[in-house]
Amino acid sequence: MKLLTYTTKDNNEARLGFIHHNRVIDMEDFGNFSNFPLPDNILDLIDMGFEVIAEITEMINETSDDQFDEIAYDLDEVVFLAPIPKPRKNIIGIGLNYTEHVAESARTLDTTGKLPQKPIIFSKPPTTVTATNTNVLLNRNLTNQLDWEVELAVIVSKKGKYVPKSEALDYVFGYTVINDISARDCRREGQWIVSKGQDTFAPMGPILVTKDEIENPHNLNLSLKVNGVEKQNSNTQFMLFNINDLIEDLSTVFTLEAGDIIATGTPAGVGAGRNPQEWLHDGDVIEATVEGIGTITNTVKEI
């Protein structure tokens, strides 16, 4: 199922919907129509458990297109928000999770070049989240080295502690795209949160795709363009620690909960790794894409 959080031109209230036959169907209205109460936001839907997706899908299959007309919008009638506009907790970030990115970071940043033996974990506050077709803010008082990082993000489906690798994907609700915007000159004694945690530094979306629609999350192409020029192009098969590894490790460190977001790391091709280095500037347009999910587009705005 392809889920989205959206507003309309007539209503600024954030709503939960799903895409069906290239139209947006309001989830709560669909629940009312089907006599099956459904929420108006994605976190409450996740809290219902992943099993509800199969129930909703069955109801969709039993509903004709004509019956959807009263609760449907054309795609160009809605504004896409981030799938989870206000996460309950910090986004969990994973650093240096693609081998070639480890190498390029060692050439130009303060990293060793050694392959991590365990996942490198950082976080991004909920206020970093922004949607597709919004601005990424460039504050020159903080940074002159604004950079891009396309990533596959995993949405956790349920509470988990000490989750073994073999069961890890049972704890996944779905996937989305995150651009882990980074201010390379804002690291503080090895700490990354100032570099990673500024407002708008986690563009997310455009939709959340439930795990049943992604046959293999470890074989998805991901790419990024700046002003139409490709900068990153790789595949999730090259992650150093895959999703199973990450969920096992993270759930050992702390309890994972429904709605948690894990950004799984970026491949090579970031601006800091180039020769000469490249940084984002006012007006630059960034397009981050993950196969099977879509593209988020953001424009850099200097403030």
Side-chain angles (χ1 to χ4, degrees):
M1 182 173 291
K2 294 178 172 62
L3 300 167
L4 74 155
T5 300
Y6 73 97
T7 61
T8 66
K9 296 170 184 176
D10 299 325
N11 186 353
N12 288 327
E13 177 189 6
R15 301 283 298 176
L16 171 61
F18 60 91
I19 297 175
H20 178 66
H21 291 176
N22 290 316
R23 294 194 296 177
V24 173
I25 312 299
D26 187 90
M27 184 69 78
E28 186 179 36
D29 289 347
F30 179 65
N32 293 336
F33 170 83
S34 304
N35 294 315
F36 186 92
L38 290 169
D40 63 359
N41 70 88
I42 205 161
L43 287 173
D44 284 352
L45 182 71
I46 294 170
D47 286 343
M48 294 178 74
F50 187 76
E51 298 75 18
V52 75
I53 298 301
E55 297 180 70
I56 296 171
T57 300
E58 184 176 349
M59 291 189 297
I60 291 170
N61 292 336
E62 294 172 352
T63 305
S64 71
D65 284 352
D66 289 343
Q67 290 175 300
F68 278 122
D69 285 344
E70 291 187 6
I71 55 173
Y73 299 93
D74 291 336
L75 290 173
D76 60 6
E77 291 183 289
V78 305
V79 175
F80 284 68
L81 305 182
I84 303 178
K86 295 182 180 179
R88 292 167 176 155
K89 295 156 59 177
N90 280 20
I91 296 167
I92 303 162
I94 305 298
L96 303 176
N97 200 30
Y98 285 74
T99 303
E100 291 182 357
H101 181 53
V102 173
E104 72 174 0
S105 294
R107 290 195 298 269
T108 53
L109 298 171
D110 58 349
T111 56
T112 65
K114 296 179 181 179
L115 293 181
Q117 299 304 300
K118 291 185 177 181
I120 297 172
I121 305 168
F122 62 93
S123 74
K124 298 171 79 81
T127 46
T128 58
V129 172
T130 190
T132 189
N133 298 320
T134 64
N135 293 326
V136 168
L137 301 180
L138 168 56
N139 185 343
R140 291 291 186 188
N141 292 321
L142 290 172
T143 181
N144 288 299
Q145 296 183 357
L146 196 67
D147 207 346
W148 57 81
E149 295 190 5
V150 62
E151 307 197 5
L152 172 69
V154 176
I155 313 302
V156 175
S157 64
K158 59 184 177 180
K159 186 175 182 178
K161 183 68 175 173
Y162 302 116
V163 178
K165 290 181 190 179
S166 60
E167 299 175 14
L169 295 185
D170 293 339
Y171 289 78
V172 173
F173 186 85
Y175 306 95
T176 191
V177 184
I178 278 184
N179 188 351
D180 176 18
I181 300 293
S182 306
R184 302 298 185 190
D185 48 358
C186 287
R187 297 187 182 197
R188 295 183 180 177
E189 299 298 327
Q191 296 296 317
W192 293 6
I193 195 163
V194 179
S195 169
K196 303 283 194 174
Q198 297 175 36
D199 291 356
T200 73
F201 276 23
M204 181 195 302
I207 59 174
L208 187 159
V209 178
T210 54
K211 66 179 178 181
D212 54 303
E213 293 207 11
I214 301 291
E215 182 177 355
N216 181 4
H218 298 125
N219 186 20
L220 297 175
N221 294 323
L222 66 169
S223 61
L224 183 141
K225 296 178 180 179
V226 178
N227 299 328
V229 178
E230 186 172 87
K231 303 296 183 180
Q232 293 181 280
N233 191 326
S234 189
N235 189 285
T236 56
Q237 67 180 295
F238 300 117
M239 284 193 288
L240 184 59
F241 301 101
N242 68 22
I243 295 164
N244 301 68
D245 299 326
L246 294 175
I247 289 177
E248 181 182 69
D249 183 73
L250 292 168
S251 68
T252 300
V253 177
F254 43 72
T255 301
L256 293 174
E257 295 181 307
D260 282 355
I261 304 166
I262 305 168
T264 59
T266 199
V270 300
R274 295 178 170 271
N275 186 17
Q277 292 179 322
E278 299 177 14
W279 310 117
L280 293 167
H281 299 280
D282 186 52
D284 285 347
V285 177
I286 323 159
E287 300 168 88
T289 302
V290 176
E291 179 184 0
I293 301 172
T295 299
I296 48 175
T297 302
N298 299 91
T299 302
V300 177
K301 181 176 176 58
E302 187 170 335
I303 58 172

